Amino acid sequence: MKQEIVFATIGSIMTIVFLMIVNLLTSPEHLWFLYPSHILVLWPVSLYFLSEKQYKFGVLFVGLVIILFLSLNNYFNSPGHPWVLYAVYSIILLVVLTFLGKSSIKLSVAIIGSLAAILYYSFLNYYLSPGYPWAVYLAYAVLWWPTLLYFISSKRYFGLSIFGTFLTVVFLIVVSAVSTPNVIWEVYPIFLILWWPLSMYFYGSNKRNSRNKIIRQI
């Protein structure tokens, strides 16, 4: 493994230097060598962390390299709009969940993570692109994290259908209000989503009746 790491390190450095020279000689106005370089950097480093079985620190390093790469790309190509901030939270969240280990599946972690994501992206939405409240879509998706974790772990599937339907109905109404307030299109998907708790209720009722019938026969 040590020889493989040395080989990967030398190969990555040689390739990055070669691509950088070609880039500066042929098209210096666009630093395209940065795109493959961050992948080449991850090659020997990933081998090192795998050989040492330091998986958590490997994830941390990969996250830092990706953030650095995106930051440089943002700075050189579109410095007027810090779009790298949109990706930073997701990368940091992945690193944090990796370090938490088994604790990452706790409901408290899911609630804190989802609320932090909603606040973070709502802040970006307000300051970077206030023209349209796109954070509503992310909030709807992120709230399913603690929702599924709670109801599935407690095996409350009918409760999941009720809360999931409520969450979806609220989301559709909000999206309709901010996007097309003069068109009431949300009634169509709302009608369809109502079948979810209805079918779950009758499925549970039939299952209970069948079980009671078997018990009486015994």
Side-chain angles (χ1 to χ4, degrees):
M1 179 62 71
K2 184 177 296 185
Q3 292 180 346
E4 294 179 359
I5 295 174
V6 174
F7 172 78
T9 303
I10 297 175
S12 298
I13 294 174
M14 289 175 56
T15 306
I16 292 173
V17 173
F18 170 75
L19 293 175
M20 182 176 63
I21 293 174
V22 173
N23 187 178
L24 296 177
L25 291 177
T26 58
S27 53
E29 70 280 357
H30 180 59
L31 300 178
W32 52 261
F33 83 95
L34 293 174
Y35 297 101
S37 294
H38 83 286
I39 300 297
L40 292 169
V41 169
L42 295 179
W43 178 22
V45 175
S46 298
L47 287 178
Y48 169 76
F49 284 113
L50 288 174
S51 65
E52 297 294 328
K53 296 183 179 181
Q54 297 182 1
Y55 308 115
K56 294 181 179 180
F57 290 99
V59 173
L60 173 61
F61 183 84
V62 171
L64 293 176
V65 170
I66 294 176
I67 291 176
L68 177 61
F69 163 72
L70 294 177
S71 300
L72 292 175
N73 190 10
N74 190 176
Y75 176 78
F76 287 113
N77 296 319
S78 52
H81 182 66
W83 53 262
V84 64
L85 295 176
Y86 297 115
V88 167
Y89 178 83
S90 300
I91 299 173
I92 294 177
L93 179 63
L94 176 61
V95 174
V96 171
L97 292 178
T98 302
F99 272 87
L100 288 176
K102 294 182 179 180
S103 298
S104 61
I105 62 175
K106 291 183 178 180
L107 180 62
S108 58
V109 174
I111 294 175
I112 295 174
S114 58
L115 292 179
I118 293 173
L119 292 175
Y120 177 80
Y121 285 103
S122 296
F123 175 83
L124 294 183
N125 189 176
Y126 179 78
Y127 284 99
L128 298 182
S129 53
Y132 183 79
W134 52 262
V136 173
Y137 299 91
L138 183 135
Y140 171 72
V142 168
L143 285 174
W144 281 99
W145 177 17
T147 298
L148 292 173
L149 186 61
Y150 171 73
F151 285 104
I152 292 179
S153 62
S154 60
K155 297 182 179 181
R156 300 175 60 181
Y157 304 111
F158 178 66
L160 172 62
S161 66
I162 293 293
F163 187 82
T165 299
F166 171 76
L167 183 63
T168 304
V169 169
V170 172
F171 167 71
L172 293 173
I173 292 175
V174 172
V175 170
S176 176
V178 299
S179 301
T180 55
N182 298 324
V183 181
I184 310 177
W185 55 264
E186 68 273 17
V187 295
Y188 304 107
I190 287 176
F191 175 76
L192 293 177
I193 196 65
L194 289 176
W195 284 90
W196 181 19
L198 183 63
S199 61
M200 291 293 293
Y201 174 78
F202 281 101
Y203 171 76
S205 298
N206 292 333
K207 191 174 181 180
R208 287 191 298 270
N209 292 335
S210 300
R211 184 169 59 250
N212 294 333
K213 184 177 180 180
I214 293 174
I215 293 175
R216 286 196 299 268
Q217 289 177 351
I218 296 176

